Amino acid sequence: MWVDAPFPRQKDAGPAAPRADPADLPIDQETIAKNRNNRIPYLEAREAVELEQKELKAVRETLGREIREICRPEIDEYIDCCVGRLFTVFQCKPHSLRMRRCMNKVETPEWVEQRTKEVMVERESTGSSLVNNAAKGTTRERRAMYNKAILPEVEDPAEMQIRKPKPNMDHRRKKDAPAPAPAPASDE
């Protein structure tokens, strides 16, 4: 049976659009600068966040495809067990456990973080990224001309995230730990 859709939609591979130079822009640089300075900063940041979320969604789809490909035999066994049965819960439990065990073994947080960075760098370098896509004319430099929240160049495309993950909260005082000593009062 199939894990992915049996007939994925084929996209038209049309001719690549030529890269737009700043001299080829429909609006002059003064108008772009004036419009950019009149934009609401919140909306610029919101647009950048939405682009980031779309990019991460595309990366997650790629990771999901890779995980399904790695665990393809276990998934196929489970699907074969489920097809044509009325009560699959009891009969297919061992297959389900094997499938989940395989996926959990592959999909560790470290692997996901590392592979996410690799895929984002790969997408940025090939130009298939939503933020930097030369074929569509939406390069990072061109987006930065119109939006202050997007940098024209980045050293590490995986670090384009605006919202950073929350830091580890180990600095909080534990319940059994003694309270910190009060600061000495100075009499001046």
Side-chain angles (χ1 to χ4, degrees):
M1 284 289 133
W2 299 289
V3 174
D4 300 318
F7 304 106
R9 250 188 294 161
Q10 298 294 325
K11 294 192 177 188
D12 296 334
R19 189 173 175 131
D21 291 327
D24 298 339
L25 294 174
I27 304 173
D28 61 300
Q29 292 290 340
E30 290 178 27
T31 308
I32 291 172
K34 185 180 94 177
N35 290 344
R36 181 179 183 208
N37 292 331
N38 288 337
R39 290 184 74 186
I40 300 170
Y42 171 78
L43 296 178
E44 288 188 337
R46 188 74 218 142
E47 179 186 10
V49 167
E50 287 176 8
L51 278 172
E52 173 198 358
Q53 289 173 345
K54 287 179 183 178
E55 182 75 20
L56 288 174
K57 181 179 178 185
V59 169
R60 280 193 298 269
E61 287 174 5
T62 303
L63 294 181
R65 225 174 297 121
E66 289 177 4
I67 291 170
R68 285 191 301 273
E69 194 59 41
I70 292 169
C71 294
R72 175 82 53 196
E74 289 85 358
I75 294 171
D76 287 345
E77 284 178 11
Y78 178 67
I79 291 174
D80 289 342
C81 178
C82 290
V83 171
R85 290 190 190 269
L86 200 52
F87 298 103
T88 60
V89 175
F90 301 111
Q91 292 291 322
C92 300
K93 184 97 174 175
H95 300 290
S96 172
L97 291 174
R98 273 193 298 260
M99 179 184 71
R100 274 193 264 146
R101 198 174 305 127
C102 175
M103 293 177 133
N104 289 337
K105 184 174 70 175
V106 173
E107 192 181 12
T108 61
E110 296 82 23
W111 182 84
V112 170
E113 183 179 335
Q114 175 196 6
R115 194 66 189 119
T116 299
K117 287 181 181 180
E118 291 171 0
V119 171
M120 287 180 81
V121 169
E122 179 183 320
R123 286 175 58 87
E124 183 90 15
S125 64
T126 60
S128 60
S129 168
L130 295 172
V131 178
N132 191 24
N133 192 334
K136 289 185 179 178
T138 57
T139 61
R140 185 177 282 282
E141 296 84 19
R142 188 156 181 187
R143 283 188 186 278
M145 288 173 53
Y146 295 96
N147 190 332
K148 294 178 191 174
I150 298 175
L151 295 173
E153 292 181 15
V154 293
E155 295 172 8
D156 184 13
E159 289 296 322
M160 76 165 211
Q161 299 178 357
I162 291 178
R163 276 187 269 168
K164 300 287 181 194
K166 292 185 179 180
N168 193 356
M169 303 303 270
D170 288 340
H171 66 276
R172 289 186 180 173
R173 187 170 56 91
K174 303 215 180 335
K175 290 181 182 178
D176 298 334
S186 60
D187 295 324
E188 292 183 31

